């Protein structure tokens, strides 16, 4: 067990300097626009024109002969539809194309049991995984199971990275915003799992989880396990070692 690696430590392998922008663009139609994003707008027709527009602090762009259009908070796809409808209504244009010319930067505060706490500048398309990676990963005593995203002094979301790293669930569709704080809590209980399992390692157990949960984290018994129907549990209690055998169903 002394040689076992904590599950998840090798996931965050790249380090970057604090305040260095991380360029992870997301130019899909579901990208959420905000202040600082720059749009390339091309209108075809008699009143057509091509221009670069930055979303201003009030969340809008200002187009000649059209006026202000509020775009902050809209997806890129919805912004395309809104600009097209306004252009078709007020100008003699046949087609309107909207693309991201430049993605905004955001500043996020990383605190708690993170390797390198501090303020970081990230791409506007970044999510919590990008932010943790830039900060060097989870600290040696930090939790992979309890990470908070705090926005406007309220907890927006509590993230359990095991849901993504073990079960492949996509928890990261929400992008971060400038001013967000990410807080990594201390880990609770680490349990070593070794022997005939698919992924030996040190696993973090949350309150209420069972041996079945632990075996799922470790990928279940491996094909070369010598005792596929049994799980041996070693427990130290009152300075005494106790060994239990649990028969699998």
């Amino acid at each position: 067990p002394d040689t076992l690696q904590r599950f998840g430590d090798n996931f965050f392998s790249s380090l970057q300097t604090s305040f260095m922008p991380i360029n992870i663009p997301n130019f899909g139609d579901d990208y959420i626009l905000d202040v600082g994003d720059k749009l390339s707008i091309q209108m075809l027709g008699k009143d057509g024109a091509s221009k670069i527009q930055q979303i201003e602090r009030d969340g809008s762009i200002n187009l000649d002969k059209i006026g202000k259009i509020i775009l902050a908070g809209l997806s890129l796809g919805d912004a395309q539809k809104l600009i097209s409808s306004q252009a078709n209504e007020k100008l003699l244009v046949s087609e309107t194309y909207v693309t991201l010319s430049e993605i905004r930067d955001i500043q996020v505060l990383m605190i708690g049991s993170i390797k390198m706490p501090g303020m970081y500048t990230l791409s506007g398309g970044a999510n919590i995984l990008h932010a943790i990676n830039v900060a060097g990963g989870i600290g040696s005593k930090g939790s992979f199971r309890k990470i908070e995203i705090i926005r406007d002094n309220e907890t927006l979301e509590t993230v359990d990275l095991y849901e993504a790293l073990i079960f492949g669930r996509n928890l990261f569709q929400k992008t971060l915003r400038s001013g967000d704080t990410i807080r990594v809590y201390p880990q609770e209980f680490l349990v070593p799992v070794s022997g005939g399992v698919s992924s030996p390692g040190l696993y973090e157990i949350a309150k209420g989880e069972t041996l079945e949960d632990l075996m799922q984290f470790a990928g279940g018994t491996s094909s070369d396990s010598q005792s596929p129907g049994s799980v041996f549990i070693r427990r130290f209690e009152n300075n005494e070692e106790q060994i239990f055998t649990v028969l699998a169903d």
Side-chain angles (χ1 to χ4, degrees):
D2 292 340
T3 61
L4 292 176
Q5 184 178 26
R6 183 176 62 157
F7 176 80
D9 276 346
N10 61 353
F11 185 83
F12 300 102
S13 58
S14 62
L15 305 181
Q16 298 196 29
T17 305
S18 183
F19 292 98
M20 179 183 295
I22 179 169
N23 184 21
I24 307 178
N26 179 358
F27 296 102
D29 283 347
D30 58 350
Y31 174 78
I32 303 299
L33 297 170
D34 209 339
V35 175
D37 283 328
K38 290 184 179 180
L39 300 176
S40 174
I41 303 173
Q42 183 179 19
M43 300 178 186
L44 305 180
K46 183 178 179 181
D47 292 334
S50 297
K51 56 184 64 183
I52 302 293
Q53 288 279 328
Q54 178 172 306
I55 299 178
E56 303 299 336
R57 294 181 64 85
D58 64 355
S60 75
I61 61 172
N62 196 335
L63 295 176
D64 294 340
K65 300 181 181 179
I66 294 179
K68 281 191 175 184
I69 303 177
I70 303 296
L71 298 180
L74 296 182
S75 68
L76 181 59
D78 287 340
Q80 159 83 39
K81 294 175 184 176
L82 179 58
I83 294 172
S84 295
S85 67
Q86 292 288 312
N88 290 339
E89 179 182 339
K90 299 180 180 180
L91 301 175
L92 297 176
V93 298
S94 56
E95 295 287 345
T96 302
Y97 299 96
V98 179
T99 58
L100 270 174
S101 172
E102 186 176 325
I103 200 168
R104 68 189 182 273
D105 287 337
I106 60 173
Q107 287 196 326
V108 175
L109 179 63
M110 308 289 294
I111 62 173
S113 300
I114 196 83
K115 285 189 177 178
M116 297 187 296
M119 185 74 76
Y120 288 85
T121 299
L122 310 174
S123 159
N127 59 38
I128 189 172
L129 278 184
H130 304 142
I132 293 173
N133 185 59
V134 171
I138 303 296
S140 61
K141 301 297 183 181
S143 174
F144 282 78
R145 311 293 310 276
K146 189 177 181 182
I147 304 168
E148 283 185 345
I149 302 175
I150 301 169
R151 181 174 296 167
D152 298 329
N153 298 320
E154 295 184 359
T155 299
L156 176 69
E157 186 176 7
T158 301
V159 175
D160 179 356
L161 290 182
Y162 275 22
E163 291 292 315
L165 302 185
I166 293 177
F167 301 110
R169 294 169 185 146
N170 186 359
L171 308 177
F172 314 111
Q173 293 178 332
K174 292 181 180 178
T175 56
L176 299 172
R177 293 183 183 175
S178 199
D180 284 351
T181 297
I182 295 176
R183 179 185 181 186
V184 180
Y185 279 77
Q187 67 188 12
E188 294 189 5
F189 301 103
L190 282 183
V191 178
V193 182
S194 59
V197 292
S198 298
S199 301
L202 296 170
Y203 290 89
E204 187 178 347
I205 296 298
K207 185 177 180 180
E209 289 181 332
T210 65
L211 176 61
E212 182 179 358
D213 295 315
L214 184 61
M215 291 298 293
Q216 279 191 320
F217 296 161
T221 56
S222 60
S223 58
D224 58 353
S225 173
Q226 296 181 357
S227 302
S230 301
V231 178
F232 300 95
I233 302 174
R234 178 180 295 175
R235 177 180 298 167
F236 289 91
E237 192 170 5
N238 298 324
N239 295 322
E240 292 185 359
E241 181 185 51
Q242 300 178 353
I243 297 179
F244 306 89
T245 300
V246 178
L247 298 179
D249 293 334

